[in-house]
Amino acid sequence: MDHNLHLDHKHKLAQTDILQIGPAVIPHINESNISHIFLKKLMMLDYKARYVQQQATPKEDHSKQEEDHRNDDISIDAFCSDSVENDQLKESTIHPLDVQMAVFHCSDSFLKQMMVTKLSQCQYALPLLVPDPFTEDIECPLWTFRHIQKTWKKTEDNSDVMTVKSMPICKAETPMVFCFRLGSLSVSKSQLINTLINDRHSTFFHRNCPGSTKTRLLFDGVAEIAWYCPAGKSNDTFPDCVAFCNLHGDGLTYDKQLKILMGKSSVNLVFVPTLRKDDASAQVISALLKSPKPLVVLFEDKGSAVVKLKKGKYKVGLKDRGQSDVSVELNRIIRDILSDPHDPFQLESVSDTGVRVDEREPCCTEGFAAAKEIMSAIKSVKVASIKSNLLPCQGKLWHDWCRLNKEQYRLKGHIEKDRSEKQNRLQVLRKAQCETPHSELMKSFIRHLSSLPPTQREYFLKWTQILMDTHSTEDLSLILQRYDEKWSELVCLKRKPDKTNEVNIKAKRAELEQISAKLQSTTCGLEHIFREMGQIYEAHKSLKKSPKNDQTDWSKYPELAAELMISGHPMELMDGDAGHVPLIWISSLIDQVIHKLGDKRVFVLSVLGIQSSGKSTMLNAMFGLQFAVSAGRCTRGAFMQLVKLSEDIRKDFKWDYILVVDTEGLRALELEGNATIHHDNELATFVVENPSEMQDVLQIVVQAFMRMKKVKLSPSCVFVHQNVTDVAAVEKNLDGKRKLQDKLDQMAQLAAKEEGSEAVGFSDIIEFDVQKDVKYFAQLWEGSPPMAPPNPGYSECVQDLKSFILSKASKSPGVTLSNFKTKVQDLWNALLNENFVFSFKNTLEITVYRKLEAQFEKWTWALRSEILNIENQLYTSIENGKLRKVEQTHIYTGINEKDKEILIQWKAQFKQRIKNFNDDLIRQVTRKLDELIQQKEACKKVDQQNNVFKSKLLQKSKDLARQLKDQAKDENALKELFECEWKVWVQDLIGNTKPIEDIDFDNDLPGILQELGIEWVQVEEALKSCKYKMIDKIGDYSSCILQTRQMICETKEKAMSILQTKPLSERGYNQMYVQEVAKSILDDVAEFQFTQKVSFKKEFIVDLVLYVLSDAKDYIVVSHRNFKVNHDAATFLQSREKEYYMIFRSFCKGSSSAVVLAKLICEQLKASMTEAVCNSTAISIAGEMRDNYPAFKETRLNLEKYVLKSLAEKEDFDSYVTYIRKPKKHLENFIKEEVKKYIFKTHKPKAVSLLQKNVDNISNQLNCALSDATEKVKDNANLKVWLEEFVGLIKNVLTFDTACCQEFDINNYEFLKEEIEKGLAPIVKEMKNLPLEKMNEFRLKPDQILIDQLTNCCWETCPYCGAVCTNTVKSHSPEKHSVPYHRPSGIIGWHGSGTVELVIDFCTTLVASDRKFYPQFDSDNTVPYKQYQTAGGNYEKWVITPAGSKLIYWKWFICRFQKELENYHNMKFVGQGDIPSDWRNYTKKEAIESLDEMYNM
């Protein structure tokens, strides 16, 4: 048997083997797979599983078909002949119940229990006494019955009174009719018994069932039991529940089973073919006649009707009688017998008969003992008080916590104060949960859960649930019956038209509410113990409390729950009683699952529908699940369960598990929360029993889907209509589909209108095809419950739906468990806020985006660093006169190709952003270099003139040296003579050329301002008071302080922009430039006064002009000084005096031309090398800091964190003001300070080593250039050629002017090279000791390079609090501006309209409140904060996630600088702006530490 069915009784099948998701298509049935197919069908509640038969192979069918075709002409002899083909005759078929019993024997106890439970649901008889096929011992599998619950309605005698009974079948005391046969019968005993139970269903398998054979190997000797449960109707067969026990096989053969069951029966029903006194069967009948137990004997050879021999003793003839007639008589006899007192039967009593009982196995008894310990604690209190007394953390404390937590998002009035109070109360509630002593129930439960081995633990959990259900069954039944009575009374009252009934109706409803509350308190199961574990864990974890001596170790709870979830137990995702998701518990639970399994990918399948619509039944049938819904009740909540993919189909999917989410008992109002706990690419299945009842749910769901689409979640869905009876439903419901589509489209349009978006139809919102994604299910029951079996058509529909779902799921990548956890957190936090879309925070997307930002920052720095080097090279080439025009190709060709490929390989939007950044950099460099070329062109005449000066001065120096050669020994005399001559030379060269004068800005200012109508007296007063320097900090200009300060900043920026467009460096200073800037200032003030409807005093206007022009003055003076250096002949000659004295002195001392030229070249190279080294070192230091300095690496947000830390450490209010009012300027100052600290304090050795490295690089390049140039002119003694070669080799590294080197006669270039090298050695040594401050004198500075890189962002500020957008990418569209931390709006001066009360509320709190605001200073209409984006303008460009006022930093800041802020804004933190008292408890240390939390928001 085992070999044929590929089963092994030694290695038992387990639930985990069956509950995996395998191939959807049932393969060809043969001996090797028939047992597995039987199990699969049984798990799907397909009662035809019992009739699964082997199929002939296609090859056999084909051969027979061919044979039929060959034998078209056959005679009557073929029919008369007894001969058949040998293979047909000998073909063996396995008896269906042998398959069932083989699987039963080869399954572990938990799979046996599941099998028997499913057989019971299919209304089949269940094995009660089972002979062991190897030892022939009799076993009673009592354990397998423990999950079976029966419900029926008992009708009292001669009365219409009905009693509803619902209880575990093991505990039910019912009459039992024992049926057996003595000998062999030609009629079917089992078939006749079936007519007494359900005449349309084969409760007991009989000889006329499909697949039946004469040969049975395992089934003979098995005693089965079934129960008839009345429905409380007039056509009930029996008025009360009756058990029928049927012994398969000849009772004379199975004496042990016969004696046990005759002793336990209430009625014995015996079938005999005939009866003779000397037969063995006569002895059995004689014993039964003497027994007081009722007896009915049915004779196959007698045709008489019912004969009552005496009370309780009947004989019935079967010969020549119809089965229905016999059935009616038997029914009457049994009813009569049972109407008198009789022995009741209880299933548990069979264990006392000396047979082997499965519950006596050591593992089971150990689990039972542990469960009994739990029950001893439970039985110490009333059923209705179990939760309140033994599981207190999930009761009022938790419900109050949930209510308060939700109220945080519905704040009105003094928001921050209310929030602060609520948070304190939340802490108090958590503290109360922590201090609640753990009940003996919880201590014992945790101890056993932690210590028991896996098998014993599974028994423990099942026994605990069974015993808890048994304990509460009676109370629940009474409550439900009372509820039913009151509901009936309410229905009757509603039917009466009398208006006075309204009071009675109200009273009845109140009674129903009370009964409902009692039902809820009486409902208690394993899921409530797990819920208690979750609350104990959440309370201690949130307060970081250690367990007390009388408490269990809460830190281990998630690990224990994770082990159970992995083994297939459902876990609560959402507490339906509290209407809340315990995020701390769920997060830790999933973390532990990840720790044990790895971060597996799951496909999330959720089912929604109205209560009691069969959702769980469908899931249990589809996946063989058993969701935790205890006896006689419906636990409210959402439960999740993992179902593994089998290895057979794993390769066809991108995920490892299905995570099934089942909702239980959620009201329509709560469904919105559940409807949105769906995740990327998952399927929401809607079970609709009555579409009209589902209307409210659908409306919520459509709106939820629309919101999910807006926040980039994209589920798909399938609609399932249950209880469709017509076989042509699919065809006939085309019109129904059309109506459903119309209804969904209508709902979609309504939802779109409410959400302020566009949607033509439902399919625009969610992936949905009405032709494919609507399924029609047959009704669940084949007949009327409680005796109806499941409809086979239902299980077929389930199978089809499962295949359809898996086909859709195969295209989904699923979601990792860690991502699932994060999305649950994000969605729940968003759902706590009424406005889902505005408040949604996709943590996963934010995390990935920040990583991308950090990478983007690295890429852009790599580009900038590369282009800076290219810019340096091109700059040097231009200075050397080697480049007259810059093409973008010059820059492009310098970029490393590999880097470009890495940059371009990323996502489309970042590709474009990187390209834009690259193009912008190239344009900036091109513009700078073009400006340099223009400057060179503008200075061309000056340069030509200077070259003439150089040539003449060189010749004059030579001539003078020859004249004074004899006086060379006296250094002072030489110097005096040279200086006298130098003055003469200068006078000769520049003659009467007018020098460029320095500017006197202060002297020009009065005339400029007077021309614009500003009185000088007012200017003088302002200059004396110096008040204008503080104009951006003083707050009494007008009624709209915030807007005025913003205008001051913008006016100043505009003025500087105008000046920067003027050619100051090329043409010098012009008063017209200042006049233009001053006029621009006045124009801006006039426009502001007009638009804001304010009027400024003249003093303010004068102060503003002086304030802007004071900054402009510095820029003008520096620019004019540069112009003078580059264009003034006298200045140029003055700068060359030292150089020509050196030439003169060398010649005087008799140095050769080569020596003098070498000195001249070295002197020039020294200046050029200094600049090159400083520029290169600036780039190196900037790169080192960008890569390794904590503040400058990573993202813009990271930089902001360090800026705020720095501010807190300094505690300087003026610095804060700069940060708040001019964030970019403050950031630039911060970068400068950090660079200065890095170079001169914290990392000075590193900076020096970078400088020395650059010195070595340039020195090596110079030595190579000298060698290469000398080598090339070895045979061509021409100085011009040598200079051209040399300059060509260093043109991209160093600047070098050959004008003063042309007038030398050089013959030995090797000697020249050696002299230059000799002269360079001390220069290189000197350069390695260059002070780092020297970098400030040149074009590139490390702080400015970092400023250019790190301040290249959008700089948009929050319209409420002024916080700067922390997106690293400058043009980050389509992403809106955002910042993970906001601050109270009062910091920048927001105040209550018409008051001096500064706003204390955080933006993140306000956008979750019911308050309103004025978008502009002069707005007439208000906008709800929750719909802030509808205010347009800057508001719609921002996304502000409601997160409360979590950041301690700004709370500390307000308390620390309260007086300074009040003085600055000339307002107060009073009234609605009163500072919550607990804010004053925060320390600077806590404030700084909170910034790290902010970074992880």
Side-chain angles (χ1 to χ4, degrees), residues 1204-1205 1208-1209 1449 1483-1492:
L1204 290 171
K1205 279 186 177 182
E1209 285 160 358
Y1449 185 90
T1483 64
K1484 182 168 79 171
K1485 183 174 180 289
E1486 289 174 313
I1488 292 173
E1489 286 173 353
S1490 73
L1491 293 170
D1492 292 320

Side-chain angles (χ1 to χ4, degrees), residues 157 308 311-312 314 334-343:
D157 295 337
K308 184 175 182 181
K311 187 176 181 181
Y314 299 84
I334 294 170
R335 285 179 74 115
D336 287 345
I337 290 170
L338 297 181
S339 63
D340 294 328
H342 54 268
D343 295 335

Side-chain angles (χ1 to χ4, degrees), residues 45 131 174 295 406 414 511 533 542-543 581 599 603 764 819 831 918 995 1144 1153 1188 1283 1300 1308 1336 1367 1389 1439 1487:
L45 292 182
T174 66
L295 170 68
K406 288 176 182 175
H414 196 320
E511 286 183 57
M533 285 173 63
S542 59
L543 297 181
V581 175
D599 198 4
F603 176 80
D764 295 329
N819 287 0
L831 287 163
N918 191 43
F1144 161 75
S1153 292
N1188 300 308
L1283 285 171
C1300 65
N1308 189 341
N1336 293 327
N1367 202 308
V1439 56

Side-chain angles (χ1 to χ4, degrees), residues 1192-1210:
F1192 297 157
K1193 64 182 184 179
E1194 295 187 28
T1195 61
R1196 170 77 178 77
L1197 176 60
N1198 179 63
L1199 177 59
E1200 195 74 12
K1201 178 179 77 172
Y1202 281 93
V1203 169
L1204 290 171
K1205 279 186 177 182
S1206 168
L1207 282 166
E1209 285 160 358
K1210 290 179 181 176

Side-chain angles (χ1 to χ4, degrees), residues 128 256 328 457 476 647 924 938 1056 1161 1203 1236 1281-1282:
L128 175 63
K256 192 170 184 179
V328 170
R457 184 178 63 195
L476 284 168
E647 290 302 319
Q924 289 171 23
M1056 293 307 297
I1161 289 173
V1203 169
K1236 187 177 179 181
V1281 174
W1282 185 89

Side-chain angles (χ1 to χ4, degrees), residues 437-540:
H438 292 182
S439 65
E440 286 303 317
L441 165 63
M442 287 306 297
K443 289 179 186 176
S444 180
F445 186 82
I446 295 299
R447 186 175 68 255
H448 291 307
L449 203 61
S450 306
S451 60
L452 287 172
T455 305
Q456 287 89 324
R457 184 178 63 195
E458 191 65 24
Y459 273 116
F460 162 64
L461 291 171
K462 286 187 177 290
W463 270 122
T464 302
Q465 185 66 73
I466 289 163
L467 295 175
M468 288 180 76
D469 286 348
T470 305
H471 182 61
S472 62
T473 293
E474 188 176 349
D475 292 64
L476 284 168
S477 296
L478 291 172
I479 293 169
L480 289 168
Q481 188 169 347
R482 191 168 166 229
Y483 190 95
D484 191 41
E485 290 169 2
K486 294 298 177 186
W487 178 256
S488 300
E489 291 172 14
L490 178 62
V491 170
C492 291
L493 283 171
K494 285 182 176 180
R495 287 174 182 166
K496 294 178 182 179
D498 192 352
K499 291 184 179 179
T500 57
N501 278 336
E502 288 182 9
V503 175
N504 295 331
I505 288 171
K506 192 174 181 181
K508 288 293 176 196
R509 281 182 174 155
E511 286 183 57
L512 283 171
E513 286 296 324
Q514 290 175 358
I515 297 170
S516 180
K518 192 172 183 181
L519 177 66
Q520 201 59 38
S521 64
T522 308
T523 300
C524 186
L526 266 181
E527 60 272 27
H528 295 97
I529 298 179
F530 289 132
R531 189 183 285 177
E532 187 75 4
M533 285 173 63
Q535 279 315 298
I536 292 171
Y537 178 81
E538 283 215 328
H540 286 80

Side-chain angles (χ1 to χ4, degrees), residues 846-911:
I846 290 169
T847 304
V848 172
Y849 191 81
R850 282 185 187 168
K851 287 180 182 176
L852 194 54
E853 276 190 320
Q855 194 62 43
F856 178 82
E857 186 69 13
K858 288 180 183 177
W859 293 332
T860 54
W861 171 251
L863 271 176
R864 185 182 294 279
S865 180
E866 193 80 37
I867 287 177
L868 277 171
N869 290 323
I870 296 165
E871 179 188 337
N872 252 353
Q873 294 171 13
L874 295 176
Y875 189 94
T876 309
S877 292
I878 292 167
E879 287 287 354
N880 285 327
K882 300 297 181 182
L883 191 65
R884 295 278 186 263
K885 185 178 180 183
V886 176
E887 301 288 349
Q888 289 193 359
T889 52
H890 288 126
I891 303 169
Y892 266 117
T893 51
I895 298 175
N896 185 299
E897 284 299 320
K898 184 180 176 183
D899 289 344
K900 260 200 297 194
E901 286 173 13
I902 293 172
L903 298 177
I904 301 303
Q905 56 102 26
W906 204 257
K907 292 183 178 179
Q909 58 176 316
F910 269 81
K911 279 187 190 176

Side-chain angles (χ1 to χ4, degrees), residues 47-48 66 134 599 953 975 1153 1165 1344 1404:
Y47 74 68
K48 290 184 179 179
E66 287 181 347
F134 303 101
D599 198 4
L953 287 170
K975 189 158 187 168
S1153 292
L1165 287 175
Q1344 191 56 50
T1404 44

